[in-house]
Amino acid sequence: MCKGLAALPHSCLERAKEIKIKLGILLQKPESAIDLVIPYNEKPEKPAKTQKPSLDEALQWRDSLDKLLQNNYGLASFKSFLKSEFSEENLEFWMACEDYKKIKSPVKMAETAKNIYEEFIQVEAPKEVNIDHFTKEITVKNLVQPSPSSFDVAQNRIHALMEKDSLPRFVRSEFYQEFIK
């Protein structure tokens, strides 16, 4: 057990240094604009070669953000709506997290985690999402050893925010109304 600085066993000191180095790497500012490029692919604006949703499907979106996000037409329309309100960062973060969960390579996962953190989580990030301090703290701790679930708490908070705030505004918008005409 690690007690007091002078009494720290060698393994505790090594572990503390390792954590400090990993956090330092994670929290580094990008050195060039190239570092700001997000390595994951954005979804196309307009769905290609997919069937337009039925009225029943579109009506289900009012009550289920998940059903909306699973439908290519719904997702594209929701994204266009959010862009029109200059509030697409929440959806982009959610989508980045979904792509991140699919990564198998630990090296690629660590690299992508750093990019997502710098783009959406860190203070003054270019597309900073609105999450509380506690959620940011948990996320940073999770990123010491990146795993597919590193962003789960933050992603769930953003999902809840979109469900409570963005979805009702979308349902009232002309973007949605064209689906239920």
Side-chain angles (χ1 to χ4, degrees), residues 44-94:
E45 289 298 314
K46 298 285 180 194
K49 297 181 184 175
T50 36
Q51 197 169 343
K52 190 173 180 181
S54 68
L55 178 59
D56 286 342
E57 283 178 294
L59 288 172
Q60 290 176 12
W61 301 345
R62 293 184 298 193
D63 305 315
S64 174
L65 179 61
D66 290 326
K67 289 192 183 207
L68 170 67
L69 296 174
Q70 290 167 2
N71 182 284
N72 285 339
Y73 268 87
L75 179 61
S77 185
F78 189 51
K79 187 172 184 181
S80 295
F81 165 72
L82 292 173
K83 279 188 177 194
S84 76
E85 291 198 332
F86 304 100
S87 63
E88 69 270 18
E89 67 281 346
N90 287 342
L91 180 59
E92 288 179 6
F93 171 71
W94 185 87

Side-chain angles (χ1 to χ4, degrees), residues 117 120-124 128-129 131-141:
Y117 175 81
F120 299 103
I121 304 289
Q122 78 180 7
V123 176
E124 308 265 338
E128 186 176 3
V129 292
I131 54 175
D132 58 276
H133 178 72
F134 178 72
T135 302
K136 276 188 185 189
E137 206 171 274
I138 289 172
T139 303
V140 169
K141 285 179 184 175

Side-chain angles (χ1 to χ4, degrees), residues 5-22:
L5 224 86
L8 281 176
H10 188 64
S11 63
C12 287
L13 274 175
E14 286 176 354
R15 182 72 182 133
K17 285 180 185 176
E18 184 181 318
I19 290 170
K20 182 180 177 187
I21 289 168
K22 286 181 178 180

